[in-house]
């Protein structure tokens, strides 16, 4: 019995495996593995998580999910992006200047009431707010 335990311990040091006999997963990368050396660049666009479907300015339904958003050049609309393509627009209802400059934009979503929500986008020195209607169940 002791010799069996010593044999298992010796084999475990030589070839690590769990007690079921399966090879253990090694942590980290091996020199022969292909892996990215650097993390992808941080987007300057704000990340927004929508908990519910909302209606865009064009009347399209924006499904609940994660989006990248930015203020349009005219600062009248908030743009929803998929990669580099703008998918949807939301009209800005309130725009304020003069806040502390932010290098990375931030976005928040909150419920105003049962039928509407508010998107708050902070970009640079600008704070943009948009009131959105929730989509009805289809």
């Amino acid at each position: 019995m002791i010799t069996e335990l010593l044999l298992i311990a010796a084999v475990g040091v030589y070839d690590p495996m769990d007690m079921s006999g399966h090879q253990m997963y090694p942590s980290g990368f091996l020199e022969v593995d292909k892996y990215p050396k650097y993390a992808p660049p941080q987007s300057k666009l704000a990340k927004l998580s929508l908990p519910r479907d909302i209606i865009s300015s064009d009347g399209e339904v924006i499904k609940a999910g994660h989006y990248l958003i930015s203020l349009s050049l005219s600062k009248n609309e908030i743009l929803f992006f998929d990669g580099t393509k703008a998918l949807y627009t939301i009209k800005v209802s309130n725009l304020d200047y003069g806040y502390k400059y932010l290098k990375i934009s931030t976005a928040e979503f909150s419920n105003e009431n049962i039928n509407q929500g508010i998107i708050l986008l902070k970009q640079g020195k600008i704070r943009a707010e948009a009131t959105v209607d929730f989509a009805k169940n289809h």
Side-chain angles (χ1 to χ4, degrees):
M1 172 116 171
I2 293 177
T3 52
E4 291 174 357
L5 289 174
L6 290 174
L7 181 63
I8 290 173
V11 170
V13 170
Y14 177 73
D15 186 17
M17 63 178 74
D18 63 11
M19 295 308 284
S20 68
H22 292 46
Q23 185 73 23
M24 289 174 49
Y25 178 77
S27 63
F29 295 105
L30 301 176
E31 289 181 14
V32 296
D33 292 340
K34 292 185 178 181
Y35 60 92
K37 289 187 177 183
Y38 307 104
Q42 173 114 12
S43 174
K44 292 190 178 190
L45 302 178
K47 296 173 185 104
L48 176 69
S49 295
L50 287 179
R52 296 181 57 184
D53 296 351
I54 62 172
I55 305 293
S56 73
S57 298
D58 302 330
E60 296 181 68
V61 175
I62 302 174
K63 295 286 186 186
H66 305 286
Y67 295 92
L68 293 176
I69 65 171
S70 180
L71 201 55
S72 67
L73 292 176
S74 66
K75 301 188 179 27
N76 294 332
E77 298 174 322
I78 294 175
L79 306 174
F80 282 67
F81 288 92
D82 179 23
T84 58
K85 180 182 175 189
L87 298 176
Y88 308 105
T89 59
I90 300 286
K91 298 283 183 202
V92 172
S93 56
N94 189 13
L95 192 66
D96 294 328
Y97 292 88
Y99 288 88
K100 182 180 176 185
Y101 181 80
L102 297 175
K103 288 183 181 180
I104 298 174
S105 301
T106 63
E108 299 172 14
F109 183 85
S110 62
N111 291 339
E112 182 173 280
N113 58 44
I114 196 165
N115 297 319
Q116 292 182 322
I118 295 176
I119 296 173
L120 177 62
L121 172 63
K122 296 176 184 176
Q123 182 175 319
K125 288 187 165 196
I126 301 171
R127 181 182 177 273
E129 191 175 292
T131 303
V132 294
D133 293 326
F134 293 129
K136 305 290 185 236
N137 292 336
H138 292 77

